[in-house]
Amino acid sequence: MQNGMKQDSATHARPHESMNGVSSATTGLGGVATAALTTTTAVAPPNTAEVSNEPSVRERCTLLGIPWHDKVPPSDAAAAELLAPEIAVRLGAVPVSREGNRLVVAMLDPLDTAAVDEIGAVTGRVIRRIGLDAPAFRELMRDRYGTTAARMAESLASDGGLAAVSDSEHNLDAIEADDVHRMAEQPTLINLVNLILLEAVQGRASDVHIEPFESELRVKYRIDGVLVSQPQPPKHLQAALIGRVKIMAGMNIAERYIPQDGHITLRFEGRKVDIRVSTVPTLYGESVVMRILDKSSLPLDLVSLGMSDSHRAIVDRMIEKPHGLVLVTGPTGSGKTTTLYASLSKLYDPRKKIITIEDPVEYELNGINQIPVNAKRGLSFATGLRAILRQDPDIVFVGEIRDAETVDIAIRSALTGHLIFSTLHTNDAISSVGRLVDMGAEPYLVASVLEGLLAQRLGRRICALCREERRITEEVEARLTPDERVRFGGRQSVGRGCEKCNGSGFRGRLGFYEVVRVSTALRGAIAQNRPVHELKSLLDSDFVTMREDGMRKALAGVTTIEEVLRATQDVDDFADAFTKQGAHAHDGKAGESRGKKGT
Ligand SMILES: [Zn+2]
């Protein structure tokens, strides 16, 4: 964060670019000024500050005879050790080599003379600066300081300003809010929190978890859907660190015993990153989860989610109906919302009114009216949906159907000419029928409005740079069906693990889908409230389960069998239990409990 923000402020301060700074801080006139600026300079790309500003720092360095590199220069570890990581991060500078009493320092902005002076003072050497492009600088930073957040936490542990707290580490109550406030405003601590967030964003994490335990404070990132432990900050920094996050998120720092919600907006390398923060009091302090909503990284295209052509064709037809109900099912974190966003942005047409009610609004969609649920003020899915219908919409997206009232309004509005999208917590697509009926919907009404059902799970995508073929382990082989065993022939693609994927062998995610088209026969059976196994027997002959969709992707070398099994395990468990129970009619209840377990 620090270097990204540093660079921003530095570039805005340059006279040449000051118009940009004005336009982002004010409205109207500033925008006109920028437009004029862009037309005169013509070559400036309209996009990020980083792209448009870089040439000017670079040009000015060249004029001043300061060398500029766009690749990581050769560097030596001993040189980097002369500068503490938190200073390196704060100043956007990494020492790369020593030449006698001179220290060569790679910098994001070599023209930041205050920074150069500070490095000179700290290291006691004459500084020779070189400029480095931001991506190369980041790489260098990682190479030299490893997980900088970890190193910084280590050095903070011995920081006098914060050490006083350690006496009271087992008695968080004893720390006054004022103390927390004071500690949370320490520059080093601010840097630590910024770094934790920076590394999370760089590492493509979707969430950051800070979990207090009796004698430790754990930090975990969720990357590609899996929690990865990070180096632990010292336990005695807990109150200050969590306090800092709460200040950033605009929460009440004195209140530590009730759950709170907050929001942080960060600028990172010229783009906006929204972070939703939630705290919950636990035995040993407040547990914090930060969800990173990186608007620029949202894949709004079903193709990039790995949806097969045949599935996409069915979904396209489903969402183009003039009215009806389309449901996407799966547990929390299965990518339901992303799929629906992809559909909504595909449907966007200025001649149609599209309204959503969401909890919360995760991504802003251009041209679509989005309403956040606000339980405190009495705006629930049901009340919101009722209000939306008076706004004359064509298409409505209800974040989730979870009670009788919402299901009732959703079905009635689908009957009266609206296209309604929503999500449900059920394990597989066809179980949603039973779930709707369980929530009080009349089977014949469900039958008349339901246009399609889609269930999905997310798995990890094999890193394309280190993909290789390997023998399938016995353990995995044992979990395959005889047919699957034949198709794989004992081998599959896996990621060996490389620098690009942090050794995990995976990079990015993809969906495993099952799509149910509601045929006339199926509609009839739904209207008669037939048991789920009968509904299943009426699915189209080309219907594939999520597991099968996943296995096809594993066969194609896009993901691994283990990922497919992991992601679709709950569905298989349910199917097993269902078979053992003897396939009784109406599995809605079982679907409900399983669905909840999945969340
Ligand atoms: Zn790799």
Side-chain angles (χ1 to χ4, degrees):
M1 215 64 40
Q2 193 59 27
N3 50 12
M5 292 193 300
K6 170 124 196 79
Q7 200 198 10
D8 267 344
S9 56
T11 46
H12 283 163
R14 270 189 294 287
H16 176 75
E17 296 293 340
S18 62
M19 277 176 160
N20 251 336
V22 172
S23 77
S24 63
T26 60
T27 50
L29 279 176
V32 176
T34 313
L37 182 74
T38 323
T39 36
T40 49
T41 49
V43 283
N47 203 355
T48 65
E50 189 178 313
V51 177
S52 58
N53 291 342
E54 213 149 56
S56 83
V57 195
R58 201 181 171 146
E59 279 161 20
R60 296 181 63 204
C61 282
T62 314
L63 282 173
L64 293 167
I66 300 168
W68 192 279
H69 297 246
D70 49 15
K71 292 213 171 61
V72 178
S75 73
D76 99 73
E81 275 173 17
L82 294 171
L83 199 62
E86 68 269 22
I87 303 180
V89 169
R90 181 163 52 83
L91 301 180
V94 179
V96 288
S97 60
R98 287 169 302 176
E99 299 166 354
N101 189 37
R102 288 204 307 183
L103 187 64
V104 182
V105 181
M107 299 183 71
L108 274 172
D109 181 4
L111 304 175
D112 183 347
T113 45
V116 177
D117 289 347
E118 186 173 342
I119 302 166
V122 170
T123 59
R125 284 162 199 263
V126 178
I127 304 304
R128 195 166 81 76
R129 22 183 196 161
I130 59 173
L132 195 56
D133 277 353
F137 182 84
R138 276 199 301 277
E139 205 181 319
L140 175 67
M141 194 85 189
R142 249 197 312 274
D143 287 354
R144 280 298 152 234
Y145 293 110
T147 358
T148 32
R151 291 277 303 262
M152 202 160 128
E154 218 172 83
S155 72
L156 269 177
S158 55
D159 185 310
L162 295 164
V165 195
S166 57
D167 298 338
S168 31
E169 67 177 5
H170 292 298
N171 186 5
L172 292 171
D173 294 345
I175 307 174
E176 295 294 328
D178 284 353
D179 291 338
V180 176
H181 223 288
R182 181 182 55 78
M183 293 182 297
E185 296 291 1
Q186 299 253 348
T188 39
L189 196 95
I190 292 174
N191 274 344
L192 175 63
V193 173
N194 285 349
L195 264 180
I196 289 174
L197 292 173
L198 167 82
E199 289 182 355
V201 175
Q202 283 181 339
R204 298 177 302 108
S206 58
D207 303 80
V208 177
H209 295 235
I210 303 175
E211 302 172 334
F213 291 95
E214 188 173 6
S215 58
E216 56 185 4
L217 182 62
R218 290 195 191 141
V219 175
K220 294 171 187 164
Y221 292 165
R222 188 179 290 281
I223 300 171
D224 293 336
V226 177
L227 281 176
V228 183
S229 283
Q230 302 298 312
Q232 298 181 358
K235 172 76 177 172
H236 75 262
L237 291 182
Q238 179 176 322
L241 200 151
I242 292 171
R244 174 67 199 156
V245 172
K246 287 166 73 180
I247 290 174
M248 290 170 82
M251 295 175 174
N252 178 354
I253 188 169
E255 178 54 77
R256 279 175 277 173
Y257 301 100
I258 55 165
Q260 293 190 59
D261 290 318
H263 188 256
I264 300 172
T265 302
L266 286 174
R267 279 183 53 80
F268 171 65
E269 291 172 358
R271 60 182 207 259
K272 204 170 106 185
V273 178
D274 278 334
I275 300 172
R276 201 167 80 225
V277 186
S278 135
T279 65
V280 169
T282 70
L283 270 182
Y284 300 106
E286 291 171 284
S287 170
V288 179
V289 176
M290 293 181 268
R291 162 144 291 192
I292 299 170
L293 306 169
D294 186 349
K295 288 174 183 168
S296 63
S297 75
L298 180 69
L300 273 187
D301 177 2
L302 295 172
V303 183
S304 64
L305 292 173
M307 190 177 268
S308 67
D309 291 347
S310 54
H311 273 159
R312 203 153 40 87
I314 303 173
V315 172
D316 281 352
R317 250 175 290 145
M318 237 152 64
I319 64 179
E320 276 157 16
K321 301 266 178 185
H323 52 82
L325 181 63
V326 174
L327 294 172
V328 180
T329 76
T332 299
S334 57
K336 298 184 295 249
T337 321
T338 309
T339 298
L340 282 169
Y341 277 135
S343 307
L344 285 177
S345 43
K346 194 164 195 169
L347 286 175
Y348 175 68
D349 172 344
R351 290 167 300 177
K352 281 184 186 158
K353 190 170 182 79
I354 305 182
I355 309 184
T356 75
I357 177 147
E358 306 169 62
D359 183 18
V361 172
E362 287 188 38
Y363 299 99
E364 289 160 29
L365 295 172
N366 201 15
I368 293 174
N369 302 277
Q370 294 173 282
I371 304 169
V373 161
N374 190 336
K376 279 183 213 147
R377 302 191 174 199
L379 181 57
S380 64
F381 281 124
T383 52
L385 183 52
R386 206 176 279 125
I388 287 174
L389 294 171
R390 291 192 290 264
Q391 292 263 316
D392 187 30
D394 296 291
I395 298 164
V396 178
F397 165 39
V398 188
E400 195 187 331
I401 294 182
R402 53 186 171 206
D403 56 63
E405 203 184 352
T406 315
V407 78
D408 178 55
I409 311 170
I411 288 180
R412 275 190 290 129
S413 41
L415 277 172
T416 53
H418 303 99
L419 181 60
I420 311 283
F421 291 99
S422 194
T423 70
L424 268 187
H425 283 252
T426 56
N427 276 8
D428 57 6
I430 199 71
S431 303
S432 350
V433 175
R435 182 89 181 90
L436 291 174
V437 173
D438 274 355
M439 283 192 291
E442 290 291 345
Y444 74 94
L445 288 179
V446 174
S448 57
V449 298
L450 208 55
E451 286 302 338
L453 298 164
L454 189 148
Q456 72 177 68
R457 295 292 183 280
L458 289 178
R460 287 179 291 176
R461 199 183 274 274
I462 295 176
C463 170
L465 297 168
C466 60
R467 184 190 289 125
E468 65 181 27
E469 224 184 62
R470 263 193 220 155
R471 276 209 71 75
I472 297 173
T473 63
E474 263 175 49
E475 188 204 350
V476 170
E477 186 94 29
R479 295 174 65 192
L480 295 178
T481 64
D483 170 57
E484 285 164 353
R485 253 169 251 157
V486 172
R487 284 155 71 201
F488 280 97
R491 302 193 72 79
Q492 69 159 335
S493 294
V494 295
R496 188 177 57 246
C498 67
E499 210 174 292
K500 276 283 174 227
C501 58
N502 295 325
S504 68
F506 296 103
R507 198 166 157 77
R509 299 216 258 173
L510 81 166
F512 307 139
Y513 302 93
E514 61 185 41
V515 182
V516 171
R517 203 171 12 206
V518 184
S519 61
T520 313
L522 185 56
R523 214 176 278 284
I526 294 172
Q528 292 165 34
N529 203 14
R530 305 308 300 168
V532 79
H533 70 271
E534 273 187 41
L535 301 185
K536 278 185 179 165
S537 70
L538 293 170
L539 295 176
D540 289 332
S541 56
D542 58 355
F543 171 81
V544 290
T545 61
M546 277 181 280
R547 176 180 172 129
E548 171 57 20
D549 186 48
M551 288 301 174
R552 288 180 187 180
K553 285 164 181 167
L555 269 170
V558 189
T559 188
T560 66
I561 299 171
E562 287 88 334
E563 279 300 293
V564 178
L565 294 173
R566 183 179 66 82
T568 61
Q569 178 66 47
D570 56 339
V571 192
D572 291 344
D573 285 352
F574 174 53
D576 288 350
F578 179 73
T579 319
K580 276 175 208 138
Q581 279 169 17
H584 287 305
H586 201 68
D587 69 300
K589 282 281 177 270
E592 180 181 14
S593 58
R594 292 285 319 174
K596 281 196 179 134
K597 194 186 160 199
T599 63

